[in-house]
Amino acid sequence: MARRVPRVFKNVIAPVQAWLMAQGRCVGCGRDLTEGKSTKRRDGSHKVICSCGRIFVNEKNGKWRRALLEEV
Ligand SMILES: [Zn+2]
């Protein structure tokens, strides 16, 4: 499943993923993350699981990011 991505493609994909994150969209499938399964965390941020299985964190300031391994 986890395919090795050549460097040249990574350089293209990273800005697209950053853009998707800024829009509150899943970097994998492009779905709106507000439609994902959201659970509140102790620090007030939200953990959101997209329907494709990817996990994100919506920070208190509204910024989206990928969940870290230890948060999954
Ligand atoms: Zn997704």
Side-chain angles (χ1 to χ4, degrees):
M1 190 62 186
R3 238 164 10 103
R4 200 182 280 266
V5 182
R7 188 184 299 271
V8 64
F9 291 122
K10 265 187 183 163
N11 289 343
V12 176
I13 290 165
V16 172
Q17 292 192 336
W19 178 81
L20 284 166
M21 282 274 84
Q23 310 286 310
R25 289 180 173 272
C26 176
V27 298
C29 65
R31 282 192 189 90
D32 194 333
L33 288 172
T34 56
E35 291 167 18
K37 188 174 173 286
S38 176
T39 44
K40 195 169 186 188
R41 303 166 78 227
R42 265 173 300 179
D43 63 1
S45 61
H46 286 79
K47 183 168 116 175
V48 179
I49 304 171
C50 182
S51 48
C52 72
R54 286 176 178 79
I55 303 170
F56 300 89
V57 172
N58 190 204
E59 302 283 10
K60 280 180 288 183
N61 61 12
K63 281 198 173 172
W64 288 93
R65 63 173 176 81
R66 291 291 296 267
L68 304 174
L69 269 180
E70 61 265 31
E71 296 171 327
V72 173

